[in-house]
């Protein structure tokens, strides 16, 4: 999909100013603020728009379609794959001003929200009325609902509750043509026509700009408990979890920290568990009796697996057990200047094999690989750590690891998406025929390729 | 999408015979057997194919693409919307010979199956190893997994467990071009490229022929209980259910039978509940203690609502409570020669209003409307009953009812799909812009419109 774009001429800028007034940004500082996300890359956009309605966005897109300039939708900019970057210049559209929670309906169990609402704020608002919106990317306090849907974000609760994808019922979207459309529904289910909702979900801003979302809610589970198992090695942790599943226990969450990850956050290890080389965190939720029963059974299964088993039921104690997990990102940053991060998913049975492969492959090249993440749904965050001049080695490790993922019937991204940084690996996972169908869809939705160019494909 | 097709000439037939041998059917009896489904319509295909592999189907589709003849995929033919009918002639492809359960994996919690497996057989095979495949269309004993996925089938368990859509991880599909592609994954989640799995799911055989499915399984809930509440009127049943939800109880199933439906199955009413004008069936599942607690709480809430409350926990007793529900279809057929059936979905809070509207609208025209179905997810099966010469009146009632559904933010089909019989109503629910995007997708996947023509659009 090669296209040529026109720069934002002064006449285009004038029209954008007419639409947006002061909410059209052009200063260098502003552009720089929108030139980065949580990826290691940076591209300067030509301008930034802060629209306050779908109608404004529709006007912008009609103009972009006519004048052929790129438009890049942006939530909070926490993409780890460079999905928000203005690779071809053009206009970044920030959705942060469309930030109202329009409705939380306790009878229908749905919420209607605008895309710029921060996910954490939304989750709290829902819980205040006794309901529950399960998706919980680690970034939920600083990423948006719109961004979560555009990426198909996942999180620890994915094991029991699925991911963002499973909670989107209906979407208002501004198309590349500048039409405001509604797809999907407000009802729990529906099969009228093709499923456009799931097509927009995870499309990383390449098919349309999401301007309103109808989300499914569920009743809030009244009780939660956390179980921390400190173990001697990582593979054992993965195996312990498989035993939990075999016993037909179905925790809400199963998070893993391997030895390197634990080392990075070691100040949180207490003395007696310093020998621990892995941490498995399980969370059970549901009615009180259910959770009690689950905990007992889980403790019985796990007691022979590890060095120490801790259980917490109060919010405060649970938070303490979660501390190590919450601090992984900053901790890993401290121990190595360079990091190549992937969020692969394996069939659950293949996780133990994969974990030792990743470690060994790192060692083969003299590099450290830290694995952690959502063991529950097989979604392992693989972090290849390297010193400045080792990037080429790190890339080699990455290729070997991603190839192994595909050999084991896994997928190269469970939640972060493709964006810019994983484009090269797409043809490894998807056949030319599948890619050609996807490109055909892109062509239908965005014939001039103005929406978030250079992403995914 | 108007196209002209070529009849199956003798040279085409020869080639099909080369591909299929004796599994190419042309006799009048065979054609007649494949000319009907569970809709009131009938169209004779020109021939029928019984392929035994994806490769054979690919060969057929390459031929169809070249020679421009229609190809209609068919599972068990239980479509209520005429989705399997050879409206433009052509070749029906029966998937019933691709009927192997290839794998049920207890560690990965996935199954790999061919499309022609009957859903009931699959559910039993899964339960035999202690796992659970929740989707349960009322037709599960006589419909196929492939047909269920192609329709996005739902069922009573939709309330707690979602519908077929929520259990499809990966698909092998033969495209209209005759390519065998794989989309999706074997892992619990993934966001690599656009979501083709959900696009094929519910596409009613218009985008490709599904030849293999990777399905998600969950642990089997160890305990189940059924609760039957007999009430004086239908609206009260809908309201009773809303109270259950408000108490944050989340049953697996909530089924409703209104007065007309109950009347039709009245031989199953015992003496003391003859006064009953509605039946609400709730089912709870989960750990034993949990189910016990839920039952107690539900009984407390419901005891003032109805005429009689019955509870059953053993399989046999539960089956007894379900009898009335299971016999609706044959019972309704008995009381009126004509029936217009829809499977609309309402936001839960609008169900009581809708139920009385449907009844009143019927009465206005002197017709009886029977409502029953999956109250749990707001999916009401509306059956307009009529004598032979009242069809025009019935159509009028239907239009008023479907308009009301849309006024109440509902959708005109929750699980049966559009097929042939609801095409006319599609533009009521979907805007021209949305329809045009869907037709664009169809064009990408099937440029010559050979796959199941005249369906959906
Ligand atoms: C420390 C950290 C932890 C993280 N943990 C997780 C995790 O556990 N799970 C996970 O899934 N991700 C995680 N992420 C990645 C990231 O937070 C998610 O992808 C998140 O969904 C992005 O939301 P955002 O609002 O920041 O979107 P942005 O980064 O601004 O945008 C992401 C993509 O969505 C598009 N987009 C944004 N809004 C819209 C819209 N309204 N309409 C159309 N397209 C739009 C953009 O064009 C871009 O392609 C993490 C990131 C960080 C930095
Ligand atoms: C008594 C009765 C009760 C019912 N109850 C329910 C219910 O509770 N919930 C519900 O959702 N439905 C219900 N249905 C409708 C019907 O059973 C479902 O739609 C079912 O999913 C159809 O499966 P099938 O194998 O019979 O498919 P068919 O009827 O043969 O085909 C249905 C559609 O799927 C396509 N198709 C079939 N197989 C494939 C394939 N392998 N690849 C591509 N396309 C394919 C066909 O082209 C057609 O468009 C009921 C029907 C009856 C008669």
């Amino acid at each position: 999909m090669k296209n040529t774009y026109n720069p934002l001429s002064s006449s285009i800028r004038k029209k954008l100013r007419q639409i947006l007034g002061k909410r059209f940004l052009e200063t260098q500082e502003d552009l720089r603020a929108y030139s980065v996300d949580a990826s290691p890359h940076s591209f300067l956009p030509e301008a930034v728009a802060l629209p306050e309605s779908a109608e404004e966005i529709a006007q912008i897109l009609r103009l972009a379609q006519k004048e052929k300039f790129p438009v890049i939708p942006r939530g909070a900019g926490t993409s780890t794959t460079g999905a928000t970057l203005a690779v071809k210049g053009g206009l970044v559209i920030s959705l942060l001003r469309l930030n109202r929670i329009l409705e939380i309906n306790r009878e229908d169990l749905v919420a209607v929200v605008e895309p710029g609402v921060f996910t954490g704020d939304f989750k709290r608002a829902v819980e205040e009325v006794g309901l529950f919106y399960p998706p919980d990317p680690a970034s939920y306090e600083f990423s948006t609902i719109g961004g979560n849907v555009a990426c198909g974000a996942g999180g620890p609760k994915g094991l029991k509750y699925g991911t963002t994808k499973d909670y989107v019922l209906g979407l208002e979207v501004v198309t590349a043509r500048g039409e405001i459309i509604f797809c999907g529904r407000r009802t729990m289910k529906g099969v009228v026509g093709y499923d456009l909702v799931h097509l927009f979900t995870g499309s990383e801003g390449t098919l349309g700009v999401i301007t309103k979302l109808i989300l499914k809610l569920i009743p809030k589970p009244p009780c939660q408990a956390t179980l921390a198992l400190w173990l001697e090695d990582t593979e054992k942790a993965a195996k312990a979890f498989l035993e939990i599943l075999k016993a037909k226990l179905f925790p809400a969450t199963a998070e893993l920290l391997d030895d390197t990850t634990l080392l990075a956050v070691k100040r949180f290890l207490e003395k007696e568990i310093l020998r621990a080389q892995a941490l498995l965190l399980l969370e059970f939720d549901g009615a009180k009796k259910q959770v009690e029963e689950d905990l007992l059974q889980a403790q019985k299964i796990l007691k022979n697996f590890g060095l120490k088993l801790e259980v917490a039921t109060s919010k405060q104690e649970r938070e303490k057990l979660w501390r190590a997990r919450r601090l992984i990102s900053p901790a890993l940053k401290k121990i190595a200047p360079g990091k190549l991060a992937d969020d692969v998913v394996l069939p659950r049975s293949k996780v133990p094999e994969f974990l030792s492969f990743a470690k060994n492959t790192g060692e083969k090249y003299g590099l450290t690989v830290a694995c952690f993440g959502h063991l529950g749904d097989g979604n392992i965050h693989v972090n290849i750590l390297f010193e400045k001049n080792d990037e080429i080695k790190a890339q080699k490790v990455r290729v070997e690891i991603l190839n192994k993922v595909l050999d084991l019937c896994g997928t190269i991204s469970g939640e972060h998406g493709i964006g810019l940084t994983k484009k090269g690996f797409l043809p490894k996972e998807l056949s030319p025929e599948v890619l050609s169908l996807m490109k055909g869809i892109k062509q239908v939705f965005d014939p001039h390729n103005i929406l978030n160019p250079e992403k995914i494909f």
Side-chain angles (χ1 to χ4, degrees), chain A residues 270-290:
Chain A
E270 291 160 41
K271 257 201 206 103
E272 66 256 61
I273 41 177
L274 267 182
R275 280 188 300 131
Q277 302 282 326
L279 171 59
L280 176 65
L281 283 165
L282 297 183
E283 204 151 86
F284 290 94
D285 67 10
K288 194 154 173 287
K289 284 196 179 139
Q290 172 76 58

Side-chain angles (χ1 to χ4, degrees), chain A residues 163-182:
Chain A
T163 67
T164 305
K165 278 190 182 191
D166 300 308
Y167 294 86
V168 192
L169 296 173
L171 292 175
E172 181 187 88
V173 175
V174 181
T175 66
R177 288 186 178 79
E179 303 154 341
I180 303 175
I181 64 166
F182 176 77

Side-chain angles (χ1 to χ4, degrees), chain A residues 124-316:
Chain A
R124 273 184 293 277
V126 165
E127 286 177 34
E128 259 164 37
V129 300
L131 296 177
F132 188 38
Y133 174 73
D136 58 347
S139 55
Y140 70 83
E141 287 296 3
F142 45 94
S143 66
T144 67
I145 285 283
N148 290 178
V149 171
C151 292
K157 290 247 159 47
L159 167 53
K160 178 168 172 182
Y161 291 105
T163 67
T164 305
K165 278 190 182 191
D166 300 308
Y167 294 86
V168 192
L169 296 173
L171 292 175
E172 181 187 88
V173 175
V174 181
T175 66
R177 288 186 178 79
E179 303 154 341
I180 303 175
I181 64 166
F182 176 77
C183 59
R185 55 200 66 83
R186 194 194 157 92
T187 54
M188 285 305 109
K189 63 186 187 190
V191 288
V192 172
Y194 300 144
D195 187 344
L196 298 191
V197 168
H198 276 91
L199 201 55
F200 284 117
T201 304
S203 68
E204 305 188 18
T206 63
L207 296 181
V209 182
I210 299 164
T211 49
K212 201 186 287 175
L213 307 94
I214 304 187
L215 301 170
K216 176 175 163 176
L217 306 174
I218 60 173
K220 185 167 147 56
C223 181
Q224 273 141 342
T226 304
L227 204 149
L229 178 69
W230 305 85
L231 308 101
E232 277 160 320
D233 76 78
T234 311
E235 258 194 85
K236 220 169 165 183
K239 283 181 185 158
F241 172 61
L242 286 178
E243 290 306 312
I244 290 285
L245 282 188
K246 268 192 212 145
K248 273 162 227 156
L249 285 168
F250 209 50
T253 296
E255 294 289 294
L256 171 78
L257 280 72
D258 78 351
D259 50 355
T260 314
T261 313
L262 261 194
L263 207 66
V265 293
K266 73 174 167 206
R267 56 195 148 170
F268 302 101
L269 296 179
E270 291 160 41
K271 257 201 206 103
E272 66 256 61
I273 41 177
L274 267 182
R275 280 188 300 131
Q277 302 282 326
L279 171 59
L280 176 65
L281 283 165
L282 297 183
E283 204 151 86
F284 290 94
D285 67 10
K288 194 154 173 287
K289 284 196 179 139
Q290 172 76 58
V291 172
E292 284 166 6
E293 205 170 274
D294 288 349
L295 269 187
L296 276 181
Q297 219 189 321
Q299 279 171 291
K300 215 184 280 170
I301 294 167
L302 296 179
K303 71 169 188 284
N304 298 321
F305 263 95
L307 300 169
K308 191 180 175 185
L309 187 61
E310 294 174 282
V311 176
T313 50
S314 77
K315 197 171 172 178
Q316 213 181 343

Side-chain angles (χ1 to χ4, degrees), chain A residues 366-421:
Chain A
L367 295 183
T368 304
V369 177
C371 288
F372 66 91
H374 318 317
L375 182 64
D377 45 26
N379 185 195
I380 306 296
H381 293 266
V382 180
N383 291 262
I384 305 162
L385 309 175
F386 59 92
E387 302 297 323
K388 264 193 192 125
N389 43 15
D390 277 345
E391 174 145 13
I392 290 170
K393 268 197 218 164
Q395 289 290 3
K396 281 188 189 156
V397 175
R398 187 183 192 202
V399 171
E400 286 195 30
I401 286 178
L402 292 182
N403 284 339
K404 181 71 175 181
V405 167
L406 296 174
D407 283 350
L408 294 173
C409 299
T411 175
I412 61 171
S413 178
E415 42 185 44
H416 291 179
I418 300 302
L420 194 61
T421 59

Side-chain angles (χ1 to χ4, degrees), chain A residues 38 43 86 306 361 371 435:
Chain A
F43 290 87
T361 308
C371 288
L435 275 171

Side-chain angles (χ1 to χ4, degrees), chain A residues 1-2 72-73 79 81-85 87 149-152 198-208 412-413 415-430 434-442 446 449 451-457:
Chain A
M1 300 207 186
K2 292 284 159 248
I72 304 100
S79 167
T81 65
T84 70
L85 301 180
V87 181
V149 171
C151 292
H198 276 91
L199 201 55
F200 284 117
T201 304
S203 68
E204 305 188 18
T206 63
L207 296 181
I412 61 171
S413 178
E415 42 185 44
H416 291 179
I418 300 302
L420 194 61
T421 59
K422 289 188 204 164
K423 272 168 59 172
F425 293 98
L426 206 61
K428 280 187 189 279
E429 179 158 340
L430 305 180
V434 165
L435 275 171
S436 139
L437 289 172
M438 290 182 180
K439 286 178 185 168
I441 292 172
K442 168 73 174 171
D446 181 15
N449 196 17
L451 273 171
N452 212 1
E454 299 292 316
K455 305 303 156 51
I456 304 183
F457 306 110

